[in-house]
Amino acid sequence: MIGTTVARLRSAFPDAEVIVADDGSRDRTADVAEEAGAIVLRLPRRGKGQALSAAERAAPPGALLLCDADLSGELGALLNLSGDLTVAAFAERVGGGFGLAKRVARGLIGALGGIEVREPLSGQRVLSAAARRACFPVAAGFGCEVRMTIDAARSGLRVREVELPLGHRATGRDLSGFVHRARQLRDTLYACGPLGTNFHGLRLPLVGWKVGLTNGPAVAAVAALGLVDDLWSGPERGFRAHLRSGRTTGVLKLVGIPAVGLLATRRVSGALLVGLAANALNQLDTRPGRALKAYLAAAVPLDAPVGVAVLLLPYDLREMAMLGDAGSNALGALLGLNSVKRFTGRGQWLAIGALAGFTILGERKSIGAWIEQAPVLSWFDRLGRV
């Protein structure tokens, strides 16, 4: 199917580059696309949105046409209409489920974007240069189209739909079809929540706030402070930059997280342990899985809960989700709180000294560079990444 789609696109748009983002396929998809004349990006399997973001970065500037690999029909009419984001609506519905995913997607676009659409999940789209700037990198997974429409509408761009006689390989009302639509629904909900951009330029759902849901009010408060920083932080990095700037979300965390520790433990040592441990995990959360691995390594001797970290680790390693400050700060706070329970007074102050030294090191030198220069740490750090 991909070969036929590429051939049709090359025939319809002879002056355009046809780029296929191969999302970790295990068959001959990439080879067939290359044989048909496409430029193929062979990517690790992460998700549709992540693949689209990689392909957009590889595409030349100007308007961009997106389409699914199993499409049949002509898309030329999409390019002949004025608008910043033009979406193809299928003239005839084939297959599908009971419409729950579409109804939810329409409702979210209406609530967050302020517009009504017919085909919220259609992958056949044309974006102007302005729409590319507003929408990319797109949200992860199958939520990319919904968030793309919301971002375009919020940016004041013109969103249009046009009905076209197109076809594609539709999912049915069987087990695989319902699993696919459940993933669409999950990814759509995540795409409309808080998002962050990782070091690869992928726009991923921030899921670390979940750590605060099941670990008590103190951890929930720290997660909330971290989420504020995720959503409204500025360009400042490090204690000194935040203190020089004054009223930043980083200063809010600098004051708020130790205050939560003080209230939870009634000890100055508890305030320092919670604040410093939260910052330490945050300093490590610069590469997939790094902060979670550090948490799990420390959680076992401290008897801290590991369930949520184990569940989040595969998604973080595969760059399908991010902890964000909400997650890394909350996990650090858990380590700090359990240190108060497990250590004697002298042990607590030794831990405070070690964490303070780590914080000072992070202010003076890149922790990530230090890890990558140490062979054993570097191997452990890369373990499990895609």
Side-chain angles (χ1 to χ4, degrees):
M1 191 71 181
I2 183 64
T4 303
T5 302
V6 170
R8 285 175 176 165
L9 289 171
R10 293 192 67 212
S11 175
F13 311 105
D15 298 327
E17 288 186 0
V18 178
I19 300 174
V20 172
D22 179 54
D23 187 33
S25 66
R26 298 176 182 175
D27 53 19
R28 293 194 68 248
T29 294
D31 295 332
V32 171
E34 280 185 335
E35 291 166 3
I39 299 169
V40 178
L41 303 180
R42 298 172 185 262
L43 305 169
R45 190 174 188 84
R46 291 191 179 105
K48 181 178 182 180
Q50 294 91 317
L52 282 178
S53 292
E56 189 272 338
R57 286 195 296 273
L64 186 68
L65 169 66
L66 306 178
C67 72
D68 295 333
D70 58 357
L71 183 74
S72 62
E74 299 298 329
L75 291 170
L78 281 178
L79 294 173
N80 298 327
L81 296 172
S82 60
D84 293 294
L85 175 61
T86 307
V87 182
F90 286 69
E92 182 180 354
R93 176 181 173 180
V94 178
F98 298 104
L100 176 61
K102 277 191 178 183
R103 286 196 299 272
V104 171
R106 288 192 193 103
L108 289 169
I109 291 172
L112 300 177
I115 60 173
E116 294 184 5
V117 297
R118 171 183 163 185
E119 290 289 348
L121 303 176
S122 173
Q124 320 342 299
R125 297 165 175 244
V126 170
L127 292 87
S128 68
R132 283 180 69 172
R133 290 191 296 271
C135 300
F136 278 91
V138 294
F142 293 115
C144 53
E145 287 94 2
V146 172
R147 187 58 186 251
M148 188 188 305
T149 304
I150 292 169
D151 288 340
R154 283 179 169 178
S155 298
L157 301 177
R158 188 177 182 188
V159 179
R160 296 191 60 181
E161 289 184 302
V162 57
E163 186 176 283
L164 295 176
L166 303 174
H168 68 119
R169 188 173 62 244
T171 56
R173 293 182 179 179
D174 53 14
L175 179 59
S176 63
F178 286 121
V179 168
H180 171 71
R181 285 184 289 276
R183 289 174 179 161
Q184 275 188 317
L185 183 59
R186 177 202 63 190
D187 289 354
T188 295
L189 293 172
Y190 276 134
C192 294
L195 303 176
T197 303
N198 78 349
F199 79 110
H200 273 145
L202 300 177
R203 198 172 175 202
L204 306 176
L206 295 169
V207 299
W209 51 268
K210 293 183 176 181
V211 177
L213 297 181
T214 57
N215 291 289
V219 178
V222 172
L225 289 168
L227 186 59
V228 168
D229 199 35
D230 284 326
L231 297 177
W232 294 292
S233 65
E236 300 84 7
R237 293 295 179 268
F239 283 135
R240 287 177 292 181
H242 283 290
L243 291 173
R244 281 196 300 266
S245 297
R247 296 180 180 179
T248 69
T249 54
V251 172
L252 177 64
K253 291 199 306 177
L254 179 62
V255 174
I257 294 177
V260 171
L262 181 62
L263 289 172
T265 65
R266 307 294 182 184
R267 299 179 187 179
V268 173
S269 59
L272 292 172
L273 278 169
V274 169
L276 289 168
N279 182 68
L281 265 290
N282 195 24
Q283 285 182 293
L284 290 170
D285 191 31
T286 55
R287 290 295 185 271
R290 183 176 289 171
L292 283 166
K293 289 176 184 176
Y295 173 81
L296 289 170
V300 174
L302 291 175
D303 197 28
V306 299
V308 68
V310 170
L311 290 174
L312 292 177
L313 183 59
Y315 296 95
D316 196 28
L317 284 170
R318 294 177 61 194
E319 297 182 65
M320 299 172 70
M322 291 174 63
L323 278 180
D325 283 19
S328 59
N329 287 156
L331 289 171
L334 267 174
L335 294 180
L337 291 169
N338 278 268
S339 297
V340 174
K341 297 175 184 177
R342 299 287 290 182
F343 293 155
T344 63
R346 183 179 180 183
Q348 291 175 25
W349 286 104
L350 287 173
I352 288 167
L355 289 169
F358 186 82
T359 298
I360 293 169
L361 177 64
E363 290 286 310
R364 294 173 177 267
K365 182 181 178 180
S366 168
I367 297 294
W370 177 67
I371 291 172
E372 288 162 8
Q373 291 167 7
V376 175
L377 290 177
S378 179
W379 172 82
F380 183 67
D381 185 47
R382 295 192 308 270
L383 187 65
R385 287 187 194 151
V386 293

